[in-house]
Each structure stands twice: as C-alpha cells, then as structure tokens.
Amino acid sequence: MSDTDSRGGAERIIEAAIDLFGRHGVHGTSLRSVAQQAGVSQALVVHHFGSKDGLLRACDHHVASVTRANKERTVAGGPQLDPFQTLRQLEKSQPLLRYLARALTEGGERTRELVDEFVADAHDYMRLAEEAGFVKPSATPHERTIVLVIWSMGALAMHSHVKRLLGVDFLADDAPPESLGPYLRPMLELFTQGLMQEGAFDQMTEMFEVPESISEREA
C-alpha cells in the first residue's frame, strides 16, 4: 500500500505510534521510527499530523474513541451479553492499554485532556447503562462517574503493583481474559454487593448531604 492511500496511511501511522509510544514513551519514540513501523515516509506522518504533538493528540483521541465504542457495545448487548465480551476486546487492545498506562504516568497537559475526554465519554455510557437497568441511579452522578474513571485509570497506572500483588498483568500480550480474575472478582463483588453492612454508613452519608434550602437556592 503506498503513501498515496491517505486514509490507510493515517490509520497505520496511528496504530504504529500507539504501539511505539506505549513501549518506549514519548521521548523514546521518533517520528522516523513511527514512519518505519507504519511502512510510510516520515513526510507523510508530518503531512497528516504536523508534529509529534499532533500525532500524540490523534493517538489520545483514538484510544478514547475505542474505549467508548467498547463500553457502548457492552451496554447495548443487554442483560444476556457475553460476560467475556469486554475481556476479549481487552485482550486485543494491549497496545492501547500500554499507551494509556504511559500517558497516565507521564502526566502534563496532554494527560489532563485525555482524562477529561474519558470522563466525558463515561458520562454518556453510564447514562446508557442506567437507562438499560444495569446501573443504579445516583444522587451524585457526575462525581460518581469521575470517581469510577479515576479508580480504573489508577489501577492501570499502577499496573506493576497489580501484577506484583495479584499476579494480574494488564499489559501482557499473551494472557487470556480469564487471567484477570483475581482483579475482576473482588471488583465485581464491590460493584454488585457493596462493601459495608446495611446501615453502617448512614451517619457518614448524612454528613455529606446537601441541605434542601441550599439545593433550592442553587436551582
């Protein structure tokens, strides 16, 4: 396939960049190495993305878009969805996970924008999940969504400790979906059964309730 195939070239460039940025980091990856792995000229990389920063932003958007699409497909599957469907998608997305883990630990303005995009997308699929009856309504839907995104991203950013303590390697190329069990089982237990006994948190919950008079003034 030649450089003149602009759509195919751009897609191959993003795929190669995600793999290399995830493995070697931003500073350890050059536009030349991305072009070589994608099988295109460096001039074509510059033509599509302008600079390394432009390529990074395109990669960020692609990773966020793929994650959003996977979540929406899972929710659309309904109550009878395949319980390993998301895990199989995850198994095929190791380069994206490596890229995201790098982005979260390298920090900076780009990382803030990426996290904000994940939060915005999460609001949409959490709403869909609530409408589908998978997720309970929340008195603080915005804050709940942010906490869930931070939890999931935090686990990925600390993937080396997850591997050390649970034996679960999020970034392994050859690990079957079932190998995530030591991490996913307790997570699903927390999500479906909760942690505290009924009534144990009532007093603390009342501490954070917004008085009705304040709610009415803000409305």
Side-chain angles (χ1 to χ4, degrees), residues 210-219:
V210 180
E212 186 175 347
S213 57
I214 295 178
S215 300
E216 290 174 350
R217 286 201 300 271
E218 291 179 348

Side-chain angles (χ1 to χ4, degrees), residues 12 34-35 38 53 84 86 143 146 149 151 153 168 174 202 211 214-215:
R12 295 202 310 279
V34 171
D53 187 62
F84 285 106
T86 302
E143 292 82 0
I146 291 174
V149 170
W151 278 355
M153 287 189 159
V168 172
D174 55 354
D202 287 353
I214 295 178
S215 300

Side-chain angles (χ1 to χ4, degrees), residues 9 14-15 19-20 24 49 51-52 56 66-67 69 72 77 84-85 107 129 157 159-161 201 204 206:
I14 289 177
E15 181 179 342
D19 182 49
L20 292 174
H24 307 299
F49 304 103
S51 63
K52 183 188 285 190
L56 282 165
V66 170
T67 302
E72 289 176 348
F84 285 106
Q85 177 184 357
H159 62 89
S160 62
H161 298 287
F201 252 13
M204 185 172 289
E206 292 171 1

Side-chain angles (χ1 to χ4, degrees), residues 185-200:
R185 280 195 298 268
M187 185 196 74
L188 290 172
E189 179 183 295
L190 286 170
F191 282 179
T192 58
Q193 301 178 31
L195 176 65
M196 307 298 294
Q197 293 288 354
E198 186 175 354

Side-chain angles (χ1 to χ4, degrees), residues 4-171:
T4 56
D5 184 354
S6 60
R7 183 174 181 274
E11 290 176 350
R12 295 202 310 279
I13 291 166
I14 289 177
E15 181 179 342
I18 286 173
D19 182 49
L20 292 174
F21 284 138
R23 292 183 185 277
H24 307 299
V26 173
H27 298 297
T29 302
S30 66
L31 292 183
R32 182 177 182 180
S33 64
V34 171
Q36 288 176 340
Q37 179 153 323
V40 301
S41 67
Q42 186 172 337
L44 187 66
V45 178
V46 175
H47 169 74
H48 281 303
F49 304 103
S51 63
K52 183 188 285 190
D53 187 62
L55 178 57
L56 282 165
R57 293 182 186 282
C59 291
D60 288 347
H61 181 67
H62 177 77
V63 171
S65 297
V66 170
T67 302
R68 179 178 63 247
N70 285 347
K71 296 285 188 179
E72 289 176 348
R73 278 197 297 270
T74 300
V75 172
Q80 301 304 316
L81 59 85
D82 178 353
F84 285 106
Q85 177 184 357
T86 302
L87 299 183
R88 292 189 182 105
Q89 293 168 352
L90 186 68
E91 187 180 19
K92 299 175 182 178
S93 302
Q94 300 307 325
L96 278 67
L97 290 175
R98 280 195 297 269
Y99 177 89
L100 184 54
R102 281 274 189 178
L104 293 173
T105 53
E106 288 181 343
E109 179 62 30
R110 202 186 108 248
T111 300
R112 288 193 289 272
E113 293 176 359
L114 179 60
V115 171
D116 288 348
E117 186 167 1
F118 267 83
V119 169
D121 290 343
H123 278 299
D124 291 337
Y125 56 71
M126 285 292 288
R127 176 182 53 79
L128 292 173
E130 187 174 321
E131 292 173 354
F134 300 158
V135 174
K136 294 179 180 179
S138 172
T140 57
H142 177 66
E143 292 82 0
R144 181 178 70 172
T145 297
I146 291 174
V147 169
L148 289 172
V149 170
I150 289 174
W151 278 355
S152 61
M153 287 189 159
L156 183 57
M158 297 185 68
H159 62 89
S160 62
H161 298 287
V162 175
K163 180 181 179 181
R164 179 176 63 86
L165 296 170
L166 291 176
V168 172
D169 189 353
F170 294 144
L171 307 184

